[in-house]
Amino acid sequence: QHVQARNFEEAIAAFEAFIEDYPESPLRANGHYWLGELHSSRSELDLAAEAFTTVIHDYPESNKVPDALYKLGLLKARQGQPDESKQLLEQVQREYPDSNAAGMAGDFLSQSGL
């Protein structure tokens, strides 16, 4: 509800509380992913990168991994790290070729010239 209302500060607090309060929840990866999205929307790029990296490394079986790789690739481009961006976007295409994230990664790579 906080995300839809664009109350990002409250949404961040709610997702952080969820992650802390439900350590065994299978939805923890989603919580970290949405923290990444929220921090990214506020241009808190280091915090966003940390959240997406948590999804990738701590929840490798999550269906959010391809999206987290894609979003982290975009963040690296925004942070002026084109080589890391390209590596992450190509990883999405290689490891998750049938995902929506792979298609978006290909589009970004083509349009950005990375």
Side-chain angles (χ1 to χ4, degrees):
Q1 290 174 338
H2 294 304
V3 174
Q4 290 176 340
R6 302 190 63 79
N7 267 339
F8 296 148
E9 195 167 317
E10 290 180 32
I12 288 170
F15 279 112
E16 287 174 342
F18 171 80
I19 289 166
E20 187 173 321
D21 293 346
Y22 299 97
E24 301 303 316
S25 173
L27 297 176
R28 281 178 61 107
N30 293 37
H32 286 286
Y33 176 83
W34 281 104
L35 282 172
E37 288 279 29
L38 290 162
H39 285 301
S40 180
S41 72
R42 292 168 49 124
S43 294
E44 299 168 347
L45 303 186
D46 290 337
L47 291 172
E50 183 180 316
F52 291 133
T53 300
T54 297
V55 174
I56 296 162
H57 292 291
D58 293 359
Y59 305 95
E61 302 302 316
S62 171
N63 65 353
K64 285 296 191 190
V65 170
D67 296 322
L69 283 166
Y70 169 69
K71 294 292 184 160
L72 187 56
L74 297 182
L75 280 178
K76 293 300 179 183
R78 286 175 67 188
Q79 291 176 310
Q81 300 173 28
D83 293 340
E84 289 184 45
S85 174
K86 183 177 181 180
Q87 179 183 9
L88 289 160
L89 296 170
E90 288 177 344
Q91 182 180 350
V92 176
Q93 292 180 302
R94 186 176 58 255
E95 294 180 10
Y96 304 94
D98 298 328
S99 68
N100 288 335
M104 292 185 295
D107 292 344
F108 183 83
L109 286 167
S110 295
Q111 293 170 5
S112 67
L114 288 180

